[in-house]
């Protein structure tokens, strides 16, 4: 049995929660992969705090304003 290890390319920066979710999704054996329920409950997704369209628009305008100065 061959084991594979997932490694991010050098210089790639992702938070630990993102890396944890990617590793859970990229398991070769389907029985070892993250479940549907656990995927949607994962800390990286944080669906409880998804911005509304109006909040997202304001956030984008702030980012654009910050990058302008």
């Amino acid at each position: 049995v061959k084991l594979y290890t997932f490694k991010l390319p050098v210089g790639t920066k992702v938070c630990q929660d993102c890396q944890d979710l990617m590793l859970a999704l990229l398991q070769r054996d389907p029985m070892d992969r993250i479940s549907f329920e656990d995927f949607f409950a994962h800390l990286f997704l944080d669906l409880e705090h998804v911005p509304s369209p109006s909040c997202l628009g304001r956030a984008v305008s702030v980012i654009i304003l910050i990058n302008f100065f």
Side-chain angles (χ1 to χ4, degrees):
V1 175
K2 230 179 186 180
L3 296 177
Y4 295 91
T5 304
F6 172 76
K7 292 185 180 180
L8 293 172
V10 174
T12 302
K13 295 180 183 177
V14 295
C15 69
Q16 187 60 44
D17 288 337
C18 179
Q19 187 172 353
D20 179 65
L21 181 58
M22 287 191 296
L23 291 173
L25 289 166
L26 293 173
Q27 294 299 311
R28 186 172 182 88
D29 184 344
M31 297 305 292
D32 293 336
R33 286 185 206 136
I34 191 169
S35 70
F36 183 83
E37 293 80 13
D38 288 344
F39 173 81
F40 285 102
H42 196 277
L43 290 173
F44 182 71
L45 292 183
D46 191 15
L47 295 175
E48 198 173 314
H49 298 97
V50 173
S52 67
S54 64
C55 291
L56 184 58
R58 284 190 304 232
V60 168
S61 65
V62 167
I63 291 170
I64 290 171
L65 183 61
I66 291 170
N67 286 329
F68 181 72
F69 292 104

